[in-house]
Amino acid sequence: MNAAIRLPAEQVYAAELQALARGDDRQKPAGWSLSPKAVLTYLMGGKASDGTVISPKYVGRRQLMETAVATLATDRALLLLGVPGTAKSWVSEHLAGAIMGNSTLVVQCTAGTDENQIRYGWNYAQLLAKGPSQEALVPTPLYRAMQDGKLCRLEELTRMGSDVQDTLITVLSEKMMPVPELNTSIYAQRGFNIIATANNRDKGVNELSSALKRRFNVVVLPLPDDMAEEVSIVSRRVGEMAGGLDLPVPKNVGEEIARVLTIFRELRSGATADGKVTLKTPSGSLSTAEAIATMVSGLSQAAWFDDGKLHAEGLAPSLVGAIVKDPVQDKVVLEEYLETVLKKRPDYAGYYAALNAAI
């Protein structure tokens, strides 16, 4: 029987959203399915009025989510900024799902994205047969969001060229999009807004123009500062993903998550947890998202090849893949870390041997 690999947030968490909506008698901005306070409860976790437990979608500073939700209740667009792997796309999807009940109006920005993919395109068969007409126009997600008063998500905004980015200026400032071929314009309906995400530390990005930056409220999503907080995030997401993939979760998964995150955090910060040893840092970000991916790969390895046993040997290849992005520079960084830090830790003996073998 066929089944979707991944459903939109508003479908996966439909029961929570419905529970919040039933007891939500607060004022709502135009076009919103929930009040801002209910949206915040959906993001941060809590209980609906009928006692339904709302799982946290974002683990971090509440004030950041308050700012994001408050921004979208105005006519200002929201830009979620941060290093790769800080849950920008995750938060963007859940914001759109909770506010509008539709998180699928998405433009994935790339180096090849052009104006037609942002504004509108044309059905060329119709265009040749009838000339420019409303029937020949192909609306983009942004066009449809303006037309219907919905939220449009622009993922990896800085991946597309600066000249294409600037096509958004008129939309953001005037809330309208000219269609000169039809001698008309489309005007955004109430409820329309944009949630954009962007990396501030990555290769292949294009800086936003100052004119475009001024039209966004920026919320910077940081990496978790606290080890316990990051362990909680990874444990929860690994459990959810394992359930979706029908992978058993061994009893020692919590211990291995803590070990993997210790390695990630020490290399990421350039120092051991006690601050006594200074380390070289690899070229990658070693984000929370990469730690989650490493653990899920380890669970798959354990389930299919290691009789359900999760251990360093099964996690080592994914760990090396996450750390060694540059085969020369990062390999040296990892080798030095193994010899100066892990070799001296008896409880990491398995990782020391497995990572040395996997390099």
Side-chain angles (χ1 to χ4, degrees):
M1 184 176 178
N2 292 333
I5 294 174
R6 184 183 186 277
L7 293 170
E10 60 271 19
Q11 293 185 37
V12 175
Y13 297 95
E16 293 185 12
L17 291 169
Q18 289 164 8
L20 286 167
R22 283 194 296 270
D24 189 12
D25 55 2
R26 300 183 185 92
Q27 182 179 352
K28 303 177 183 68
W32 284 39
S33 301
L34 298 173
S35 67
K37 280 196 173 182
V39 172
L40 188 65
T41 300
Y42 172 75
L43 288 168
M44 301 303 298
K47 283 189 177 181
S49 60
D50 63 1
T52 299
V53 176
I54 308 300
S55 61
K57 316 303 180 299
Y58 179 76
V59 179
R61 288 172 54 201
R62 185 182 182 89
Q63 187 180 20
L64 294 176
M65 294 301 101
E66 288 179 353
T67 302
V69 174
T71 293
L72 293 172
T74 70
D75 63 352
R76 293 277 291 178
L78 172 66
L79 176 60
L80 299 174
L81 190 66
V83 300
T86 47
K88 299 181 296 297
S89 297
W90 176 259
V91 170
S92 168
E93 179 184 0
H94 282 281
L95 279 168
I99 290 170
M100 292 294 172
N102 183 3
S103 64
T104 62
L105 293 172
V106 185
V107 177
Q108 180 61 58
C109 305
T110 70
T113 302
D114 60 24
E115 287 189 29
N116 293 336
Q117 293 164 287
I118 299 296
R119 299 170 72 237
Y120 53 85
W122 296 100
N123 179 324
Y124 287 102
Q126 290 272 12
L127 191 63
L128 291 171
K130 301 179 182 178
S133 64
Q134 195 65 47
E135 293 75 23
L137 186 145
V138 178
T140 63
L142 177 62
Y143 189 104
R144 296 201 304 273
M146 294 181 70
Q147 203 170 41
D148 300 335
K150 300 292 185 182
L151 286 174
C152 179
R153 297 167 52 209
L154 296 174
E155 291 295 318
E156 306 284 3
L157 181 61
T158 49
R159 289 286 176 190
M160 64 182 180
S162 300
D163 54 334
V164 183
Q165 292 173 13
D166 286 345
T167 62
L168 294 169
I169 290 176
T170 301
V171 172
L172 294 176
S173 59
E174 306 297 331
K175 309 303 178 188
M176 56 88 74
M177 183 188 296
V179 188
E181 297 89 342
L182 301 181
N183 194 30
T184 187
S185 297
I186 177 174
Y187 293 88
Q189 300 301 298
R190 291 193 69 187
F192 165 75
N193 215 328
I194 287 175
I195 308 173
T197 65
N199 291 327
N200 59 2
R201 176 194 160 192
D202 206 356
K203 294 179 180 177
V205 299
N206 300 284
E207 286 294 322
L208 297 180
S209 67
S210 56
L212 187 56
K213 281 181 182 176
R214 287 196 300 270
R215 286 161 174 82
F216 282 103
N217 274 5
V218 179
V219 172
V220 179
L221 299 184
L223 288 164
D225 289 329
D226 181 68
M227 174 70 169
E229 182 181 291
E230 193 163 11
V231 168
S232 172
I233 294 169
V234 174
S235 298
R236 183 169 55 84
R237 284 296 293 142
V238 166
E240 291 172 352
M241 294 177 74
L245 295 168
D246 296 325
L247 295 174
V249 179
K251 291 181 179 179
N252 67 328
V253 69
E255 297 170 14
E256 302 309 325
I257 286 173
R259 290 191 177 101
V260 167
L261 281 177
T262 297
I263 294 170
F264 269 45
R265 291 175 67 86
E266 289 184 333
L267 286 171
R268 194 165 71 203
S269 65
T272 53
D274 58 12
K276 293 180 179 179
V277 180
T278 301
L279 304 168
K280 293 177 181 175
T281 56
S283 58
S285 60
L286 294 181
S287 65
T288 308
E290 288 175 294
I292 293 166
T294 297
M295 292 307 305
V296 171
S297 294
L299 290 180
S300 182
Q301 172 80 21
W304 299 113
F305 300 107
D306 296 332
D307 298 322
K309 298 174 182 176
L310 183 65
H311 45 61
E313 289 80 2
L315 288 164
S318 296
L319 262 172
V320 171
I323 297 168
V324 183
K325 304 297 187 189
D326 183 314
V328 177
Q329 176 188 328
D330 292 342
K331 185 180 178 184
V332 172
V333 170
L334 179 55
E335 287 174 340
E336 183 177 299
Y337 176 71
L338 291 174
E339 295 304 317
T340 58
V341 179
L342 286 200
K343 188 177 182 179
K344 301 174 183 178
R345 294 176 177 169
D347 52 336
Y348 283 79
Y351 282 90
Y352 173 76
L355 288 170
N356 267 310
I359 295 176

